[in-house]
Amino acid sequence: MNKFPEYFTIWHIAGHYALRLMAYLVLAFLILPILVIIPLSFNAEPFFTFTPGMLSLDPDAYSLRWYNEIVTDQKWTLAIRNSFIIGIAAALLATVLGTIAAVGLSSPWMPFKRLITALLLSPMIVPLIIIAAGMFFFYTTFGLVGTFPGLIIAHAALGVPFVIITVTATLTGFDRSLFSAGLSLGASPVKVFWDVVIPLIRPGVISGGLFAFVTSFDEVVLVLFLAGPEQRTIPRQMFSGLREQINPTILAVATLLVALSIALLVTLEFLRRRSERLRGAE
Amino acid sequence: MTRSEDAVFLKLDDVKKSYDQKSLVVKGFDIAVEQGEFITLLGPSGSGKTTVLMMLAGFESVTSGTISIRGKSINKTAPYKRNIGMVFQNYALFPHMTVAENLAYPLSVRGMSKADQKARIAEYLKLVELDDFGHRYPGQLSGGQMQRVALARAMIFEPTLILMDEPLGALDKKLREQMQYEITRLHEKLGFTVIYVTHDQAEALSMSDRIAVFNDGVVQQCAPPAELYERPVNAFVAEFIGENNFVEGHVERIEGGRAVVSVKGGGQIVAEAAQGLEASGRCIVSIRPEKLFIHPTSHDHDNEIEATFVARIYVGDFIRYYFRLSDGSEIVVKVLNDLSAPEFGEGDQGRLQWLISDSIAFPHDGEMPDTTG
Ligand SMILES: Nc1ncnc2c1ncn2[C@@H]1O[C@H](COP(=O)(O)OP(=O)(O)OP(=O)(O)O)[C@@H](O)[C@H]1O
Ligand SMILES: [Mg+2]
């Protein structure tokens, strides 16, 4: 059987394959720079290029020395610890605030809905450098520059829009009469919120939280402005690593980050399917 | 407080509701409901039925007037403290909880022990004939099963009042009839009070102790089904409940509660006079299609009118005849499908006959009620 419809001319078929080729090229362009760092991070030599030994697949040309460097170099361990502390704290804060905001904004009685939504989502749109500069001057007044709370609050502000978007998306499928039903059964509004609303919007809350975490984990501009040496995060350390101590440690870190991103993506996809299943079952 | 007021369970006293502070959606609703009564609110779309239920449940505030249960106003009681069960049109079962967990929710909120909860849940699952469905999720049930779970959940905490807003609206005809029976059975067995909302008048007539017919935020008539059907107080109710024919005319005089009417197209008939009917005013006379007989007939009759045959439609157990009066208005006659069902040719003249006591003359302001609805 022919895979093309019979009315296809040679040009249709040529176009079909040309489109395919383009798509593969774009994909390669996006992915190759990420993939290429993975073998390079196992380089036995302090170079950013493939050594002849690596190309001939000589086992001695590969090593884990740069991964070892990460766990032994105090600068890197500190950066990793900081990234996780700031990322997790900021994500938690953003998740709580963003969820409450999304629930409030989805209420039919909320006044100035559009204006408030626009304000809350603005950190996604306003250039980071402007936010960073603004926060820097604002923070100096309160002595928050160079402190953990300062960075956590700043990153939470960046994460809130993601939580609002994902939670609002799950809330649009939420049947308000479930809330009324809870009340009619004798539960207080707060109890209904915990027992009925939260479980049903949980996939949105968790994926919003993960987005907020990744946003903080990946963020470098605010860190450059607001962090002192004590608060160096992984991206900040890579940034200076690139210029100061050129060795493949940052490639090893980058590889680990790719692995982390893949894990998060898989989790998000899993959550998305789960929430679709829950909704489909209604 | 007098003794008779003590017996009243639920009382709505001049309840009004406005959503926009300008127009009233419910314009002064009065009703006194006794313990264990089954009351249905029936009316066209947008007439304010859901609004009344929402005020009872506490989800909407009352603009003015009072709602009281056993003499105590509940206007200022929060919805979750009213102890009123509610069955929602879309069931509103919690999708992330199993049937048993759904039923357990109102019980655990009230601090019932786990063992008691289990016993009570088993009892109510049996009551709605879903014994083996406790572990299922709502998504795994059919529409009728979900409806029964919703019903069980609204009853399980033994509220004295249960509200139902078109609970059977989403079900097909057969399932609806089955559920009507189910609800009636549970109501008789458990003796709770029900306020029921529906569009479906057959449903209302067959289930209720009393029906409140709503139109435009005003209760037109609140009466037992038979009285509503046989003795409508105004043309709206006569038209809304069941099928009716309307004949326009002029009231000659009223004697002993009966009106002598000269029909617009010629001829004179007599009908029971409705309240507010005045002599020498315009009126419309309503006659049910099944109360009309075509001459010759063995049935008693004391009214007669000439009409032109238009069409005959075979429906199965009965036959519908369409006639036209000389003023152009159409009359439907329902005749049982037996040997006496007569044959007509188009344009033939027929004589329609009926009893005075089967027709009512209502005051008429010039507009015919819409008989197509
Ligand atoms: N939340 C609201 N805000 C403003 N107006 C409303 C609101 N809810 C209902 N209304 C209006 O109040 C009137 C009565 O509505 P209600 O829902 O009580 O009608 P209903 O009798 O239940 O109709 P249906 O049979 O279609 O369900 C309608 O005109 C409706 O537009
Ligand atoms: Mg309604």
Side-chain angles (χ1 to χ4, degrees):
Chain A
M1 218 183 76
N2 203 328
K3 71 180 261 203
F4 296 109
E6 294 197 15
Y7 57 79
F8 260 37
T9 63
I10 183 83
W11 294 109
H12 280 114
I13 294 167
H16 173 87
Y17 284 113
L19 181 63
R20 250 189 190 202
L21 183 69
M22 269 310 285
Y24 283 127
L25 283 178
V26 170
L27 208 58
F29 181 79
L30 289 176
I31 283 192
L32 277 183
I34 298 172
L35 287 186
V36 87
I37 61 164
I38 294 173
L40 279 180
S41 70
F42 295 100
N43 201 339
E45 307 296 325
F47 304 134
F48 273 29
T49 51
F50 286 99
T51 56
M54 292 180 85
L55 292 176
S56 58
L57 296 178
D58 176 3
D60 289 342
Y62 292 91
S63 82
L64 288 174
R65 68 183 272 207
W66 308 116
Y67 288 88
N68 195 38
E69 190 90 346
I70 300 173
V71 283
T72 49
D73 187 337
Q74 223 211 322
K75 272 192 205 140
W76 281 108
T77 51
L78 178 72
I80 291 172
R81 230 192 61 209
N82 284 344
S83 269
F84 276 98
I85 292 175
I86 294 170
I88 290 172
L92 284 179
L93 190 60
T95 307
V96 172
L97 295 178
T99 304
I100 296 172
V103 169
L105 286 170
S106 74
S107 153
W109 299 283
M110 179 77 198
F112 309 118
K113 203 177 284 189
R114 283 171 168 270
L115 183 70
I116 294 171
T117 311
L119 270 178
L120 290 176
L121 295 188
S122 65
M124 275 177 87
I125 301 144
V126 177
L128 264 184
I129 193 84
I130 295 176
I131 298 178
M135 278 192 169
F136 181 77
F137 290 115
F138 186 70
Y139 274 17
T140 40
T141 335
F142 296 96
L144 281 171
V145 176
T147 65
F148 277 101
L151 263 185
I152 290 169
I153 295 171
H155 277 182
L158 293 188
V160 161
F162 292 101
V163 181
I164 292 184
I165 288 173
T166 56
V167 174
T168 306
T170 41
L171 272 175
T172 50
F174 182 80
D175 175 5
R176 285 216 150 243
S177 66
L178 291 179
F179 195 87
S180 304
L183 293 182
S184 84
L185 295 173
S188 67
V190 174
K191 184 155 172 55
V192 179
F193 184 76
W194 275 112
D195 293 345
V196 178
V197 182
I198 289 290
L200 289 175
I201 63 172
R202 189 179 288 142
V205 174
I206 294 177
S207 57
L210 288 179
F211 272 120
F213 176 75
V214 172
T215 309
S216 159
F217 210 73
D218 177 51
E219 206 286 324
V220 69
V221 180
L222 288 184
V223 176
L224 279 174
F225 273 71
L226 302 176
E230 290 298 302
Q231 289 91 35
R232 274 184 176 228
T233 59
I234 297 172
R236 175 73 179 84
Q237 183 60 32
M238 289 173 85
F239 188 74
S240 45
L242 260 183
R243 295 179 312 165
E244 292 157 18
Q245 25 140 199
I246 306 223
N247 71 42
T249 315
I250 57 169
L251 297 184
V253 175
T255 305
L256 291 180
L257 291 186
V258 168
L260 182 71
S261 309
I262 291 174
L264 287 178
L265 264 179
V266 170
T267 316
L268 281 175
E269 179 62 17
F270 171 77
L271 285 173
R272 194 183 60 76
R273 290 203 188 166
R274 204 179 100 100
S275 88
E276 264 177 18
R277 251 210 330 272
L278 267 182
R279 245 186 261 170
E282 263 181 70
Chain B
M1 199 185 280
T2 64
R3 232 191 147 66
S4 69
E5 269 176 7
D6 275 339
V8 169
F9 167 63
L10 168 72
K11 193 163 195 294
L12 278 82
D13 198 2
D14 197 21
V15 170
K16 297 189 172 118
K17 175 69 189 179
S18 166
Y19 283 105
D20 53 6
Q21 315 307 329
K22 277 179 236 142
S23 56
L24 286 176
V25 169
V26 176
K27 304 167 184 164
F29 184 28
D30 287 299
I31 194 170
V33 181
E34 276 173 37
Q35 177 89 49
E37 256 194 306
F38 195 117
I39 303 282
T40 297
L41 309 183
L42 182 65
S45 192
S47 56
K49 307 179 298 286
T50 299
T51 305
V52 169
L53 275 204
M54 289 299 150
M55 288 192 287
L56 279 169
F59 301 135
E60 285 292 348
S61 62
V62 176
T63 305
S64 80
T66 46
I67 300 177
S68 48
I69 290 185
R70 296 209 177 87
K72 272 203 221 91
S73 162
I74 56 163
N75 282 32
K76 293 205 169 96
T77 310
Y80 58 97
K81 290 186 181 148
R82 291 194 180 190
N83 206 31
I84 293 176
M86 178 138 188
V87 180
F88 294 80
Q89 176 164 13
N90 59 354
Y91 321 125
L93 298 176
F94 304 134
H96 59 297
M97 297 186 192
T98 62
V99 168
E101 284 165 352
N102 266 282
L103 296 185
Y105 194 69
L107 304 179
S108 71
V109 165
R110 285 167 174 76
M112 187 186 261
S113 77
K114 284 266 183 259
D116 291 351
Q117 284 184 27
K118 235 179 139 182
R120 181 80 72 89
I121 291 166
E123 179 194 341
Y124 275 78
L125 280 178
K126 199 169 159 61
L127 212 54
V128 294
E129 289 162 5
L130 289 174
D131 306 56
D132 302 329
F133 289 74
H135 59 279
R136 293 235 201 148
Y137 284 90
Q140 301 166 320
L141 300 179
S142 74
Q145 291 167 340
M146 281 196 268
Q147 190 58 66
R148 277 185 275 169
V149 176
L151 204 59
R153 192 181 63 174
M155 300 185 305
I156 198 166
F157 57 101
E158 297 182 336
T160 40
L161 177 60
I162 297 184
L163 311 175
M164 307 193 195
D165 191 356
E166 302 191 34
L168 311 181
L171 305 181
D172 66 42
K173 190 165 173 288
K174 203 166 158 217
L175 205 51
R176 208 158 59 214
E177 279 165 9
Q178 191 186 330
M179 287 300 302
Q180 286 169 10
Y181 166 74
E182 202 91 338
I183 292 173
T184 314
R185 177 177 71 86
L186 291 170
H187 170 247
E188 275 164 13
K189 182 162 177 179
L190 303 176
F192 45 79
T193 311
V194 181
I195 309 286
Y196 192 94
V197 164
T198 182
H199 268 120
D200 182 343
Q201 40 167 303
E203 190 169 302
L205 290 170
S206 64
M207 296 173 81
S208 328
D209 293 325
R210 277 192 293 158
I211 301 172
V213 179
F214 259 69
N215 190 32
D216 203 17
V218 179
V219 176
Q220 307 288 325
Q221 185 173 6
C222 180
E227 189 181 329
L228 212 58
Y229 191 82
E230 312 283 347
R231 287 269 152 285
V233 296
N234 61 32
F236 176 82
V237 178
E239 185 273 323
F240 192 74
I241 305 290
E243 201 181 4
N244 233 330
N245 291 302
F246 292 100
V247 177
E248 276 189 88
H250 182 88
V251 185
E252 294 299 331
R253 56 185 185 279
I254 302 178
E255 303 168 343
R258 292 188 161 176
V260 178
V261 177
S262 57
V263 178
K264 204 173 159 195
Q268 206 170 61
I269 57 178
V270 182
E272 303 279 351
Q275 246 189 4
L277 189 74
E278 284 166 20
S280 78
R282 298 216 294 151
C283 73
I284 46 173
V285 176
S286 73
I287 318 134
R288 299 263 178 213
E290 71 272 17
K291 305 281 189 188
L292 279 168
F293 303 103
I294 301 168
H295 179 84
T297 172
S298 58
H299 291 271
D300 286 347
H301 64 270
D302 31 31
N303 270 323
E304 188 176 288
I305 200 167
E306 290 267 333
T308 315
F309 174 79
V310 178
R312 176 185 192 270
I313 292 177
Y314 181 83
V315 190
D317 49 354
F318 56 86
I319 294 172
R320 294 169 68 89
Y321 290 85
Y322 288 84
F323 285 91
R324 184 165 292 126
L325 296 185
S326 52
D327 69 348
S329 57
E330 207 162 75
I331 297 268
V332 183
V333 184
K334 250 161 109 174
V335 177
L336 262 183
N337 186 8
D338 58 19
L339 292 175
S340 73
E343 297 283 344
F344 279 100
E346 191 165 347
D348 286 355
Q349 287 293 305
R351 280 150 67 192
L352 308 180
Q353 303 170 329
W354 68 93
L355 284 170
I356 293 175
S357 54
D358 285 335
S359 58
I360 309 173
F362 297 105
H364 182 41
D365 50 12
E367 221 176 296
M368 280 297 279
D370 178 15
T371 49
T372 53

